Amino acid sequence: MSNTRIERDSMGELHVPEQALYGAQTQRAVDNFPISHQRMPAQFIRALILAKAAAAKANVELKQLSESQGKAIVDAAQGLLEGDYMQHFPVDIFQTGSGTSSNMNANEVIATLASRLLGEPVNPNDHVNCGQSSNDIIPTTIHVSAALGLHEQLLPALVHLVQVIERKAVQVHPFIKTGRTHLMDAMPVRMSQVLEGWAQQLKANIGHLQDLLPSLQSLAQGGTAVGTGINAHPQFAAGFSRQLSNLTQVQFTPGKNLFALIGSQDTAVAVSGQLKAIAVTLMKIANDLRWMNSGPLAGLGEIELEGLQPGSSIMPGKVNPVIPEATAMVAAQVIGNDTTITVAGQSGNFELNVMLPIIAQNLLSSIELLANSSRLLADKAIASFKVNEPKLKEALSRNPILVTALNPIIGYQKAAEIAKTAYKQGRPVIDVALEHTDLSRSQLEILLDPEKLTAGGV
């Protein structure tokens, strides 16, 4: 074969692309798993490279590697992160359940670069993988990549979304709209109350996500193959976490029980569950926006979302709520990702979970999708929508449900008769109430004032 070289591992020889930095074990994985043609996520590979650098630093401190070997490994890792490192990581998501193929991919690439820097062989297993097993480095990398994704992507995006919603709530506070339950007319609410409800949902989700960070930042590293720590220095776990914390500026700690962190992925399942809850919140906000924007003539038409692109290839002038629609699709995908992670989380057989790569893929995909869609929803839908005040006032003036405010005075049964008559005759409820009660118009105007009827929820 042309443009290849021969590499050897414990199973024998095989051809590897001549310019590839990886070796035999990576090539075997490429040959064995031509399944999805999707590589492991870039965030995962970045975290794996950082973990290899942290391991090398810890092993130098503990005299498990020479200073020159450790420096070469760290420099190789840093060099990778400064370039287009994903070209060197071709292994499919659907691979060995432990993620061993991805671990060895990293070991081989870093060993090749470190050997060049050092001018003497650096071994993928004995040096780059020193004190580690795929069984602890891959669960560790799942936690690290997800924690970095939350700190760097999702939490800032959610905070931004809350801030935009709260600013918009101040702007739209003067506007009062017909409330709806079961999609049917209900008592009036302020526009600001609707938005403040969204903001509170998101704040609660942020709090729940932050509560999970300590568990996510607790690492399996040091457990090696089954949790006993075989072939790792007794102080390796602590040294690794300290070095990784220095590299990432996120505080990582050794796990309290490494058997649990290797044999299960309960923390990833819990984080995914919270990501699903965020998806449900975003779906609610997106659908509220779509309904309020519907029309503009035959729908509710309460707001006008920013027009971003033509909405139809055949209907001129049609503009669709594309950002809320995209957000709703993200929510559906994240809910599906959570189902996969739930099933994968059940595959902790004795001392190892054997669906680690798909957990990593889906968890990081959910984090990225939610972060990106949250910013778009904030900046291209919520910040820029306009309120259609005439439409709001028109609907309010004809809303018979306002008669609910008269219940304490005339009773539920009498109020129901007034509401039904107003519906049937298409008349303002105040006019019907004036005919069926002893209350004066001035009294009714006070009692049925939509602004006063919204005060209870402030």
Side-chain angles (χ1 to χ4, degrees):
M1 296 176 65
S2 60
N3 301 316
T4 63
R5 68 180 192 270
I6 298 295
E7 287 283 345
R8 297 170 181 81
D9 61 10
S10 60
M11 297 186 73
E13 297 183 348
L14 78 166
H15 291 269
V16 175
E18 187 174 4
Q19 301 303 317
L21 297 181
Y22 53 78
Q25 292 202 44
T26 301
Q27 188 61 49
R28 291 191 191 282
V30 170
D31 295 341
N32 288 337
F33 307 115
I35 298 174
S36 71
H37 307 292
Q38 298 178 66
R39 303 180 181 199
M40 292 296 290
Q43 306 99 304
F44 178 88
I45 298 300
R46 173 197 173 206
L48 181 55
I49 295 169
L50 286 168
K52 294 298 176 181
K57 285 174 173 283
N59 279 318
V60 169
E61 281 188 345
L62 297 169
K63 311 298 184 185
Q64 304 301 296
L65 290 175
S66 69
E67 288 192 13
S68 60
Q69 290 170 330
K71 184 178 185 306
I73 291 170
V74 171
D75 289 348
Q78 291 176 341
L80 276 173
L81 293 175
E82 291 169 2
D84 180 18
Y85 56 87
M86 284 303 294
Q87 64 180 304
H88 307 299
F89 293 86
V91 178
D92 203 278
I93 293 165
F94 298 93
Q95 54 169 287
T96 172
S98 62
T100 298
S101 298
S102 287
N103 182 37
M104 284 309 304
N105 188 177
N107 290 335
E108 290 177 340
V109 169
I110 292 173
T112 297
L113 294 173
S115 298
R116 293 176 182 176
L117 290 170
L118 188 59
E120 61 183 64
V122 173
N123 188 274
N125 295 84
D126 297 334
H127 300 139
V128 183
N129 201 56
C130 180
Q132 306 150 60
S133 163
S134 299
N135 298 355
D136 60 1
I137 194 72
I138 298 300
T140 290
T141 302
I142 291 174
H143 277 218
V144 172
S145 56
L148 293 178
L150 295 185
H151 281 289
E152 297 171 357
Q153 294 176 278
L154 183 53
L155 285 170
L158 292 174
V159 169
H160 174 68
L161 178 55
V162 169
Q163 291 171 342
V164 170
I165 291 173
E166 290 180 333
R167 285 197 297 269
K168 193 69 173 184
V170 173
Q171 295 173 14
V172 301
H173 180 72
F175 302 109
I176 299 170
K177 67 185 289 292
T178 299
R180 290 182 182 82
T181 59
H182 303 268
L183 295 181
M184 305 299 287
D185 298 343
M187 292 300 288
V189 295
R190 286 191 177 274
M191 270 285 204
S192 58
Q193 291 169 326
V194 174
L195 271 67
E196 287 160 1
W198 298 346
Q200 184 53 46
Q201 283 183 269
L202 290 164
K203 287 178 181 178
N205 281 316
I206 290 170
H208 296 324
L209 208 53
Q210 289 172 330
D211 289 342
L212 287 168
L213 284 174
S215 295
L216 196 58
Q217 291 163 211
S218 177
L219 305 180
Q221 204 59 54
T224 65
V226 294
T228 60
I230 186 70
N231 291 351
H233 190 284
Q235 299 303 314
F236 178 68
F240 174 88
S241 291
R242 185 176 66 256
Q243 294 291 350
L244 187 62
S245 299
N246 291 336
L247 287 171
T248 61
Q249 301 305 302
V250 173
Q251 188 60 46
F252 293 101
T253 59
K256 293 180 180 178
N257 188 297
L258 303 183
F259 294 96
L261 290 172
I262 294 175
S264 78
Q265 281 295 305
D266 292 351
T267 297
V269 171
V271 172
S272 178
Q274 183 52 48
L275 297 178
K276 178 179 70 174
I278 294 168
V280 168
T281 295
L282 292 184
M283 181 78 86
K284 188 259 194 288
I285 295 171
N287 282 332
D288 282 356
L289 288 166
R290 291 174 62 233
W291 276 105
M292 288 192 291
N293 180 75
S294 62
L297 299 179
L300 299 181
E302 295 176 341
I303 66 171
E304 181 184 346
L305 291 169
E306 178 185 357
L308 296 173
Q309 62 187 62
S312 173
S313 61
I314 190 172
M315 293 177 280
K318 193 171 189 290
V319 179
N320 297 331
V322 292
I323 298 298
E325 287 174 352
T327 301
M329 286 190 285
V330 163
Q333 182 64 60
V334 170
I335 292 167
N337 287 350
D338 178 67
T339 299
T340 298
I341 290 172
T342 300
V343 173
Q346 298 174 43
S347 294
N349 307 131
F350 298 108
E351 279 66 58
L352 181 66
N353 181 288
V354 291
M355 289 197 183
L356 298 177
I358 197 61
I359 290 174
Q361 158 65 19
N362 282 23
L363 196 62
L364 295 175
S365 172
S366 292
I367 290 170
E368 183 173 23
L369 287 171
L370 290 172
N372 292 342
S373 61
S374 292
R375 289 191 179 276
L376 287 174
L377 190 66
D379 298 337
K380 293 194 173 185
I382 293 170
S384 56
F385 77 71
K386 299 176 182 178
V387 177
N388 186 349
E389 187 176 13
K391 196 69 176 279
L392 298 184
K393 288 183 174 180
E394 178 190 357
L396 270 178
S397 69
R398 299 176 58 205
N399 184 4
I401 299 300
L402 296 178
V403 78
T404 302
L406 302 183
N407 283 0
I409 300 170
I410 65 175
Y412 179 93
Q413 193 63 37
K414 186 69 173 177
E417 293 175 7
I418 293 172
K420 289 178 181 178
T421 300
Y423 274 127
K424 185 176 181 180
Q425 298 179 359
R427 297 168 60 200
V429 69
I430 190 170
D431 293 343
V432 179
L434 190 62
E435 296 173 359
H436 291 78
T437 70
D438 296 329
L439 298 169
S440 67
R441 178 171 288 276
S442 60
Q443 288 175 308
L444 288 169
E445 286 175 348
I446 293 171
L447 290 168
L448 300 177
D449 180 0
E451 185 168 349
K452 289 185 171 60
L453 296 180
T454 65
V458 175

